[in-house]
Amino acid sequence: MTGKRKGFTLLELLAVIAIIGILMSILFTGWGYISEQQANKKAKLEIVGLKNAVTEFFSDYGEYPNCPKEICTPGECLFMSLAGFHNEDGGLELPPYPPKIPTHLFHFDLSAFDQTEIPDLSHDGGKSLQLWLAQTLGKDPAFLDPWGNEYGYRFPSQKGQRGPDIFSKGADGQENTADDVGNWKEE
């Protein structure tokens, strides 16, 4: 009479663990690729939304968003202009112009603030307005790409085109690398 086996051998257990490991690595590699593709698509969609808002700003005021005094970053300039707080000359505008921000893309509700609570612009060279906006909106006053980096905005363009450059620096946060997404081109 032969004895019955009651368990797995060490070799069988190692084979099962190896198969599970291979399947998990395939799953994680595929998930990373899918996540990156979704982030790229979202960035492209948001760049189109920004392009349309900048085009509308140009149509209304005859100038692209700019900050000649350079008191804010290019991303803050873009946000402040599309939120209505920068006028066509790059100066601060109070009360603000109607916003051009595509709220469905960026989840900014600019109707949520009370204009009587807007701080005095003479403090900190206008920085008090940016701090107030950040507190009111619960976010930095800048458009962030899917990787948490500020969208790049440059006017005048360094690409030799008529309009500004609008782009995402991609997952690495570095400009002019292979993972950069989009650039606004005059059509």
PDB file of all heavy atoms in Angstrom, residues 148-161:
ATOM      1  N   GLY A 148       0.897  66.956 -12.129  1.00  0.00           N
ATOM      2  CA  GLY A 148       1.051  67.917 -11.045  1.00  0.00           C
ATOM      3  C   GLY A 148       2.008  69.057 -11.334  1.00  0.00           C
ATOM      4  O   GLY A 148       2.324  69.836 -10.450  1.00  0.00           O
ATOM      5  N   ASN A 149       2.454  69.190 -12.573  1.00  0.00           N
ATOM      6  CA  ASN A 149       3.347  70.286 -12.970  1.00  0.00           C
ATOM      7  C   ASN A 149       2.524  71.411 -13.580  1.00  0.00           C
ATOM      8  O   ASN A 149       1.498  71.175 -14.217  1.00  0.00           O
ATOM      9  CB  ASN A 149       4.374  69.804 -14.000  1.00  0.00           C
ATOM     10  CG  ASN A 149       5.199  68.650 -13.492  1.00  0.00           C
ATOM     11  OD1 ASN A 149       5.676  68.670 -12.371  1.00  0.00           O
ATOM     12  ND2 ASN A 149       5.341  67.616 -14.307  1.00  0.00           N
ATOM     13  N   GLU A 150       3.014  72.616 -13.440  1.00  0.00           N
ATOM     14  CA  GLU A 150       2.366  73.777 -14.047  1.00  0.00           C
ATOM     15  C   GLU A 150       2.477  73.680 -15.566  1.00  0.00           C
ATOM     16  O   GLU A 150       3.546  73.341 -16.093  1.00  0.00           O
ATOM     17  CB  GLU A 150       3.095  75.026 -13.553  1.00  0.00           C
ATOM     18  CG  GLU A 150       2.341  76.299 -13.692  1.00  0.00           C
ATOM     19  CD  GLU A 150       3.106  77.452 -13.036  1.00  0.00           C
ATOM     20  OE1 GLU A 150       2.958  77.631 -11.820  1.00  0.00           O
ATOM     21  OE2 GLU A 150       3.832  78.153 -13.758  1.00  0.00           O
ATOM     22  N   TYR A 151       1.375  73.948 -16.283  1.00  0.00           N
ATOM     23  CA  TYR A 151       1.458  73.976 -17.743  1.00  0.00           C
ATOM     24  C   TYR A 151       2.410  75.086 -18.159  1.00  0.00           C
ATOM     25  O   TYR A 151       2.434  76.162 -17.568  1.00  0.00           O
ATOM     26  CB  TYR A 151       0.084  74.226 -18.382  1.00  0.00           C
ATOM     27  CG  TYR A 151      -0.708  72.965 -18.567  1.00  0.00           C
ATOM     28  CD1 TYR A 151      -1.751  72.652 -17.713  1.00  0.00           C
ATOM     29  CD2 TYR A 151      -0.408  72.070 -19.583  1.00  0.00           C
ATOM     30  CE1 TYR A 151      -2.476  71.482 -17.869  1.00  0.00           C
ATOM     31  CE2 TYR A 151      -1.121  70.900 -19.754  1.00  0.00           C
ATOM     32  CZ  TYR A 151      -2.154  70.615 -18.890  1.00  0.00           C
ATOM     33  OH  TYR A 151      -2.861  69.452 -19.048  1.00  0.00           O
ATOM     34  N   GLY A 152       3.202  74.815 -19.186  1.00  0.00           N
ATOM     35  CA  GLY A 152       4.116  75.809 -19.712  1.00  0.00           C
ATOM     36  C   GLY A 152       3.363  76.799 -20.582  1.00  0.00           C
ATOM     37  O   GLY A 152       2.507  76.423 -21.385  1.00  0.00           O
ATOM     38  N   TYR A 153       3.675  78.058 -20.409  1.00  0.00           N
ATOM     39  CA  TYR A 153       3.081  79.125 -21.210  1.00  0.00           C
ATOM     40  C   TYR A 153       4.189  80.125 -21.500  1.00  0.00           C
ATOM     41  O   TYR A 153       4.895  80.563 -20.591  1.00  0.00           O
ATOM     42  CB  TYR A 153       1.946  79.811 -20.449  1.00  0.00           C
ATOM     43  CG  TYR A 153       1.385  81.009 -21.176  1.00  0.00           C
ATOM     44  CD1 TYR A 153       0.528  80.835 -22.256  1.00  0.00           C
ATOM     45  CD2 TYR A 153       1.717  82.301 -20.804  1.00  0.00           C
ATOM     46  CE1 TYR A 153       0.022  81.920 -22.939  1.00  0.00           C
ATOM     47  CE2 TYR A 153       1.214  83.393 -21.473  1.00  0.00           C
ATOM     48  CZ  TYR A 153       0.365  83.200 -22.542  1.00  0.00           C
ATOM     49  OH  TYR A 153      -0.130  84.276 -23.219  1.00  0.00           O
ATOM     50  N   ARG A 154       4.351  80.439 -22.768  1.00  0.00           N
ATOM     51  CA  ARG A 154       5.397  81.366 -23.149  1.00  0.00           C
ATOM     52  C   ARG A 154       4.867  82.301 -24.225  1.00  0.00           C
ATOM     53  O   ARG A 154       4.385  81.854 -25.264  1.00  0.00           O
ATOM     54  CB  ARG A 154       6.591  80.580 -23.670  1.00  0.00           C
ATOM     55  CG  ARG A 154       7.863  81.310 -23.640  1.00  0.00           C
ATOM     56  CD  ARG A 154       9.086  80.462 -23.966  1.00  0.00           C
ATOM     57  NE  ARG A 154       8.839  79.213 -24.641  1.00  0.00           N
ATOM     58  CZ  ARG A 154       9.032  78.010 -24.108  1.00  0.00           C
ATOM     59  NH1 ARG A 154       9.469  77.888 -22.890  1.00  0.00           N
ATOM     60  NH2 ARG A 154       8.802  76.932 -24.795  1.00  0.00           N
ATOM     61  N   PHE A 155       4.935  83.602 -23.935  1.00  0.00           N
ATOM     62  CA  PHE A 155       4.587  84.607 -24.930  1.00  0.00           C
ATOM     63  C   PHE A 155       5.604  85.728 -24.821  1.00  0.00           C
ATOM     64  O   PHE A 155       5.838  86.232 -23.735  1.00  0.00           O
ATOM     65  CB  PHE A 155       3.179  85.147 -24.709  1.00  0.00           C
ATOM     66  CG  PHE A 155       2.798  86.170 -25.751  1.00  0.00           C
ATOM     67  CD1 PHE A 155       2.465  85.761 -27.019  1.00  0.00           C
ATOM     68  CD2 PHE A 155       2.827  87.520 -25.459  1.00  0.00           C
ATOM     69  CE1 PHE A 155       2.137  86.692 -27.995  1.00  0.00           C
ATOM     70  CE2 PHE A 155       2.501  88.457 -26.420  1.00  0.00           C
ATOM     71  CZ  PHE A 155       2.157  88.042 -27.686  1.00  0.00           C
ATOM     72  N   PRO A 156       6.244  86.071 -25.894  1.00  0.00           N
ATOM     73  CA  PRO A 156       6.054  85.570 -27.249  1.00  0.00           C
ATOM     74  C   PRO A 156       6.630  84.156 -27.414  1.00  0.00           C
ATOM     75  O   PRO A 156       7.457  83.720 -26.630  1.00  0.00           O
ATOM     76  CB  PRO A 156       6.809  86.575 -28.112  1.00  0.00           C
ATOM     77  CG  PRO A 156       7.799  87.216 -27.201  1.00  0.00           C
ATOM     78  CD  PRO A 156       7.225  87.162 -25.826  1.00  0.00           C
ATOM     79  N   SER A 157       6.179  83.506 -28.469  1.00  0.00           N
ATOM     80  CA  SER A 157       6.579  82.125 -28.738  1.00  0.00           C
ATOM     81  C   SER A 157       8.074  82.028 -29.025  1.00  0.00           C
ATOM     82  O   SER A 157       8.655  82.899 -29.645  1.00  0.00           O
ATOM     83  CB  SER A 157       5.809  81.602 -29.952  1.00  0.00           C
ATOM     84  OG  SER A 157       6.302  80.345 -30.350  1.00  0.00           O
ATOM     85  N   GLN A 158       8.651  80.941 -28.557  1.00  0.00           N
ATOM     86  CA  GLN A 158      10.043  80.652 -28.914  1.00  0.00           C
ATOM     87  C   GLN A 158      10.102  79.680 -30.079  1.00  0.00           C
ATOM     88  O   GLN A 158      11.184  79.276 -30.497  1.00  0.00           O
ATOM     89  CB  GLN A 158      10.786  80.079 -27.710  1.00  0.00           C
ATOM     90  CG  GLN A 158      11.004  81.088 -26.623  1.00  0.00           C
ATOM     91  CD  GLN A 158      11.798  80.523 -25.466  1.00  0.00           C
ATOM     92  OE1 GLN A 158      12.091  79.341 -25.395  1.00  0.00           O
ATOM     93  NE2 GLN A 158      12.128  81.386 -24.532  1.00  0.00           N
ATOM     94  N   LYS A 159       8.943  79.286 -30.592  1.00  0.00           N
ATOM     95  CA  LYS A 159       8.881  78.349 -31.711  1.00  0.00           C
ATOM     96  C   LYS A 159       8.692  79.083 -33.042  1.00  0.00           C
ATOM     97  O   LYS A 159       8.477  78.466 -34.066  1.00  0.00           O
ATOM     98  CB  LYS A 159       7.721  77.361 -31.517  1.00  0.00           C
ATOM     99  CG  LYS A 159       7.757  76.616 -30.205  1.00  0.00           C
ATOM    100  CD  LYS A 159       8.720  75.481 -30.255  1.00  0.00           C
ATOM    101  CE  LYS A 159       8.616  74.694 -28.962  1.00  0.00           C
ATOM    102  NZ  LYS A 159       9.655  73.758 -28.786  1.00  0.00           N
ATOM    103  N   GLY A 160       8.704  80.424 -33.003  1.00  0.00           N
ATOM    104  CA  GLY A 160       8.565  81.194 -34.229  1.00  0.00           C
ATOM    105  C   GLY A 160       7.152  81.271 -34.760  1.00  0.00           C
ATOM    106  O   GLY A 160       6.937  81.579 -35.922  1.00  0.00           O
ATOM    107  N   GLN A 161       6.168  81.019 -33.924  1.00  0.00           N
ATOM    108  CA  GLN A 161       4.778  81.100 -34.361  1.00  0.00           C
ATOM    109  C   GLN A 161       4.147  82.384 -33.846  1.00  0.00           C
ATOM    110  O   GLN A 161       4.708  83.063 -33.003  1.00  0.00           O
ATOM    111  CB  GLN A 161       3.999  79.879 -33.890  1.00  0.00           C
ATOM    112  CG  GLN A 161       4.011  79.701 -32.389  1.00  0.00           C
ATOM    113  CD  GLN A 161       3.572  78.317 -31.990  1.00  0.00           C
ATOM    114  OE1 GLN A 161       3.613  77.392 -32.781  1.00  0.00           O
ATOM    115  NE2 GLN A 161       3.154  78.173 -30.763  1.00  0.00           N
TER     116      GLN A 161
END
